[in-house]
């Protein structure tokens, strides 16, 4: 992104993939994702050591594990989790076995140790240091008997609760203040494209239907998070270019991100 004056930080290549669930963990590719997370954490650490802001572009939400592993090695950090899904399934409730169904559960220490306890650093982030913002899949996840993020000490703000603040800026200000009151060295931003309204962002793998944020609201949210001075990096996931045949969705999405991060 030339508008952000960003420098290329390298690529972490995906490892072998199997469509069969692991019999002991019920996950897809737990060992490959563990190894990938270690390599991603190493790459992010190099950027952080240069006092730069890593912007990690990934395929699915499992990249959150490596991102937070990098920070956990360095100290105590929070997480601002922006996603249309809460991603809080346990393996036996997940309809797919994909780690992207349960990345929030994993980084908060819930799930098989092969992913939750990499380098013995479980959990990668404490419940009280997590903001869950804008999700709208509570009914869907309950239908699969998923554990509920609202039954934890995380600060969960589903989309209806976000709307009660009146504006995205007001909601962001309130939630950032929660993290600011904790003794943290900063926080990571995780963004899943499906937090956006399905009408403007159909290029995602698991569509949620109506509702969601607008591109303008996403920009306003990111501006508020960056202006806090406490955000240390960000991951962006799930945008599927194969579902954006003319590139127009990507153009609007990138424009929104640039406006928010500039």
């Amino acid at each position: 992104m030339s508008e952000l004056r960003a420098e290329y930080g390298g690529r972490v290549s995906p490892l072998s993939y199997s469509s069969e669930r692991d019999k002991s963990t019920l996950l897809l590719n737990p060992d490959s994702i563990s190894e990938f997370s270690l390599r991603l954490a190493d790459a992010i650490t190099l950027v952080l050591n240069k006092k730069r802001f890593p912007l990690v572009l990934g395929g699915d939400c499992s990249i959150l594990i490596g991102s937070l592993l990098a920070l956990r090695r360095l100290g105590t950090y929070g997480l601002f989790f922006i996603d249309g899904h809460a991603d809080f399934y346990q393996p036996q409730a997940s309809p797919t076995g994909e780690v992207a169904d349960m990345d929030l559960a994993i980084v908060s220490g819930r799930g098989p140790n092969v992913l939750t306890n990499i380098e013995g650093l479980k959990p990668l982030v404490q419940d009280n240091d997590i903001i869950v913002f804008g999700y709208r899949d509570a009914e869907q996840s309950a239908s699969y008997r998923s554990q509920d993020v609202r039954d934890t000490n995380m600060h969960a703000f589903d989309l209806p609760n976000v709307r009660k603040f009146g504006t995205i800026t007001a909601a962001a200000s309130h939630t950032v203040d929660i993290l600011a009151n904790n003794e943290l060295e900063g926080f990571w931003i995780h963004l899943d494209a499906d937090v956006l309204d399905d009408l403007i962002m159909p290029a995602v793998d698991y569509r949620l239907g109506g509702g969601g944020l607008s591109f303008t609201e996403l920009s306003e949210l990111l501006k508020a998070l960056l202006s806090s001075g406490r955000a240390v990096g960000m991951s962006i996931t799930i945008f599927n270019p194969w579902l954006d045949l003319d590139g127009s969705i990507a153009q609007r999405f990138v424009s929104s991100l640039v406006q928010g991060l500039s």
Side-chain angles (χ1 to χ4, degrees):
M1 297 180 184
S2 59
E3 296 91 340
L4 296 177
R5 300 188 301 277
E7 299 176 5
Y8 178 65
R11 180 178 185 267
V12 180
S13 299
L15 303 178
S16 60
Y17 178 85
S18 171
S19 60
E20 298 291 327
R21 288 198 188 201
D22 175 70
K23 292 181 180 179
S24 62
T25 64
L26 302 181
L27 301 176
L28 291 175
N29 306 289
D31 294 320
S32 292
I33 292 176
S34 177
E35 177 61 29
F36 178 87
S37 298
L38 286 164
R39 297 182 188 184
L40 178 59
D42 290 343
I44 292 173
T45 299
L46 292 175
V47 177
L48 291 170
N49 286 341
K50 296 177 182 178
K51 307 300 181 184
R52 303 301 299 268
F53 185 97
L55 185 62
V56 184
L57 307 180
D60 70 31
C61 293
S62 63
I63 65 169
L64 181 62
I65 301 169
S67 301
L68 291 189
L69 176 60
L71 293 182
R72 181 70 178 85
R73 290 169 172 174
L74 299 175
T76 303
Y77 290 83
L79 169 64
F80 203 101
F81 188 88
I82 310 165
D83 198 317
H85 302 83
D87 290 358
F88 202 61
Y89 285 89
Q90 62 271 42
Q92 62 269 29
S94 167
T96 68
E98 293 179 7
V99 173
D101 279 354
M102 57 196 87
D103 46 288
L104 181 58
I106 287 168
V107 298
S108 61
R110 297 167 173 88
N113 277 338
V114 64
L115 293 180
T116 60
N117 201 30
I118 299 174
E119 296 184 344
L121 293 175
K122 176 181 180 177
L124 298 181
V125 61
Q126 298 286 342
D127 281 11
N128 195 49
D129 298 328
I130 299 172
I131 302 293
V132 189
F133 192 96
Y135 69 100
R136 58 187 195 277
D137 73 328
E139 290 186 9
Q140 181 185 80
S141 60
S143 72
Y144 288 105
R145 299 184 179 180
S146 171
Q147 56 197 351
D148 193 328
V149 69
R150 293 169 293 188
D151 294 333
T152 72
N153 288 324
M154 298 181 198
H155 307 280
F157 297 85
D158 62 12
L159 187 62
N161 280 320
V162 168
R163 294 293 185 211
K164 290 178 181 178
F165 286 91
T167 66
I168 288 296
T169 300
S173 177
H174 174 82
T175 49
V176 168
D177 284 347
I178 294 172
L179 294 182
N181 289 329
N182 296 350
E183 294 183 1
L184 299 172
E185 297 171 66
F187 63 84
W188 185 267
I189 302 169
H190 170 81
L191 171 65
D192 185 328
D194 65 26
V195 78
L196 290 160
D197 194 307
D198 185 72
L199 294 175
I200 61 172
M201 179 50 74
V204 295
D205 293 337
Y206 295 103
R207 297 174 65 174
L208 274 169
L213 303 183
S214 69
F215 284 123
T216 298
E217 287 176 322
L218 176 58
S219 296
E220 292 172 352
L221 173 57
L222 294 177
K223 285 179 183 178
L225 299 183
L226 269 292
S227 67
S228 73
R230 300 179 62 80
V232 297
M234 179 176 175
S235 47
I236 302 173
T237 65
I238 296 296
F239 177 77
N240 188 337
W242 295 106
L243 300 176
D244 179 24
L245 298 181
D246 64 359
S248 61
I249 302 172
Q251 187 174 19
R252 292 192 294 272
F253 187 34
V254 170
S255 178
S256 174
L257 293 171
V258 169
Q259 291 178 40
L261 294 174
S262 296

